[in-house]
Amino acid sequence: MEVIMKTLFISSVGDAAGKNMLIAGIGKKMIADKYRVGFLKPLANKPHLHERITSDEDALFFHNIFNLEDQVKHLTSLVVNDELFRNIIAGKEKVDLAEKVKESMAKLSANKDILLVKGLGRFYRGSSLGLSEHNLIRDFNWPTILIDGYQATRFNLPLDIIDGFIMAKKVLGNLLCGVIFNYVPENQMEYLKDKIVPFLQKEHKIETLGIIPALPRLKALSIKELQTMLNAELLSGTDKKDSIVEEFCISTMNMENDIKYFRDTKCNAVIVSGDRVEIQLAALESQIECLILTGKLYPPEIVLSKAEELNVPVLVVRDTSLETSRKIERLRKHFGLYTPSKIDEAIKLVQKNVNIKAIYKKLGL
């Protein structure tokens, strides 16, 4: 009897929500349970040259960790870039995304029980160009799960995410199988479980399928990664390139405030302008693991000697402190899971905190 392949679409309200982590965790569990799993990313937004053919970083990632036999180029339907959008807007090109996805699914469906489909997040993107993912979800009748990082505001509520989940329910109806909260701080866990989850279920019929706690080390970066990605010069601590940095602090440029900040905060690395010697010395005294000096300004001998004495790596970057902080935050969100040492831990975290049995039931597996 021919097996009909099931499909699960995974997306988010915002960016860098943990979609890869979720897909990896669910997919590896399905494989362990003897299901034949496939992967598709309809819109490839991370172009990557593989065997002389442009594919996608995520496609290659899942091809490797799921040990897929499909060609990497078949794991995406359309490569999204500025040129494509310019051509569509100018009327020079017309793309039938649904047709391309249909072609992809035909290539991937052989010997598969379940196809995990990754969205870009903010599934209304591309609506003006006829490339929106929410149209795909409805066209193909895909069961959908949304995952998002818990972003507490001054009201101590992730209002944007809650609103996004509610709007998604209105658009997708019963195709929205459930939602997952990711990166949840410990001090928000009880309120989320006791108040927000029942509110979504009772008032909007939105089921919460998982609550994944924040695990800072999954967003950690090594000194080597920082040096490479920030195009930085390493002045000391060359033997500590593999050391991991979990928490970054940016100097307020006020000596009194910074000293209290460094003492009260679990701060592994300090980002500070290269000309603020007194703050650099205060940071080193607070037992940090890395000092990042900005503005392409080199430290005086007193700072370098202290760093060498404490064996603290000192990085010098060209960007301002604010630009450097933003770059690091982007790296932590987008680069983390590709680090091999973090993959197994991320998968275990998902499998422990997501109700995969409920997902099986919703898919009829």
Side-chain angles (χ1 to χ4, degrees), residues 118-291:
K118 180 187 175 182
L120 297 184
R122 303 181 191 272
F123 57 69
Y124 56 79
R125 279 175 171 160
S127 296
S128 61
L129 305 173
L131 302 177
S132 65
E133 291 175 342
H134 78 266
N135 285 334
L136 284 181
I137 295 169
R138 291 186 296 189
D139 287 348
F140 288 95
N141 210 37
W142 283 340
T144 298
I145 292 175
L146 296 181
I147 179 171
D148 269 282
Y150 191 102
Q151 299 293 330
T153 68
R154 61 193 177 94
F155 301 106
N156 290 323
L157 287 172
L159 294 176
D160 287 346
I161 296 168
I162 293 172
D163 288 345
F165 287 161
I166 293 170
M167 182 56 65
K169 180 67 175 181
K170 289 179 179 178
V171 173
L172 302 178
N174 291 333
L175 287 175
L176 182 63
C177 295
V179 300
I180 294 170
F181 290 91
N182 195 14
Y183 312 135
V184 181
E186 185 178 352
N187 64 357
Q188 294 290 320
M189 190 69 74
E190 185 177 350
Y191 191 84
L192 175 60
K193 290 179 178 179
D194 293 348
K195 301 296 183 181
I196 297 176
V197 169
F199 165 75
L200 288 175
Q201 179 68 60
K202 182 179 178 181
E203 300 296 331
H204 300 282
K205 294 184 172 54
I206 298 173
E207 183 176 350
T208 299
L209 295 171
I211 298 174
I212 304 174
L215 201 61
R217 61 180 173 270
L218 285 182
K219 289 188 173 184
L221 296 166
S222 70
I223 302 298
K224 184 191 301 182
E225 289 166 347
L226 284 168
Q227 182 184 5
T228 300
M229 305 305 284
L230 295 176
N231 194 24
E233 187 175 347
L234 182 62
L235 302 184
S236 65
T238 54
D239 61 329
K240 298 188 73 175
K241 282 190 173 184
D242 293 326
S243 296
I244 295 296
V245 181
E246 291 186 7
E247 295 296 337
F248 295 81
C249 299
I250 181 170
S251 168
T252 65
M253 304 303 282
N254 179 291
M255 182 66 176
E256 187 177 337
N257 288 345
D258 278 349
I259 290 176
K260 186 177 187 304
Y261 182 33
F262 300 155
R263 287 175 180 168
D264 295 347
T265 307
K266 184 187 175 184
C267 191
N268 304 124
V270 170
I271 304 164
V272 59
S273 176
D275 60 354
R276 297 305 299 265
V277 176
E278 75 284 6
I279 295 176
Q280 295 165 22
L281 290 171
L284 288 169
E285 292 291 349
S286 67
Q287 298 183 322
I288 60 169
E289 297 170 22
C290 180
L291 186 62

Side-chain angles (χ1 to χ4, degrees), residues 30-43:
M30 288 176 168
I31 291 169
D33 289 340
K34 307 303 180 185
Y35 289 108
R36 297 166 299 179
V37 174
F39 172 81
L40 174 64
K41 185 176 179 182
L43 293 171

Side-chain angles (χ1 to χ4, degrees), residues 8 73 146 168 179 215 232 310 322 357:
L8 177 64
K73 67 180 180 180
L146 296 181
V179 300
L215 201 61
L310 299 172
L322 185 57
K357 285 186 178 178

Side-chain angles (χ1 to χ4, degrees), residues 37-44 55-56 58-64 66 68-78 104 107-108 112 115-118:
V37 174
F39 172 81
L40 174 64
K41 185 176 179 182
L43 293 171
S55 183
D56 184 89
D58 291 338
L60 183 60
F61 174 72
F62 285 108
H63 186 272
N64 290 336
F66 289 166
L68 300 175
E69 295 181 358
D70 310 288
Q71 294 183 50
V72 175
K73 67 180 180 180
H74 291 158
L75 305 186
T76 59
S77 303
L78 181 67
S104 296
K107 292 171 184 172
L108 298 173
K112 298 287 194 314
L115 183 68
L116 299 176
V117 184
K118 180 187 175 182

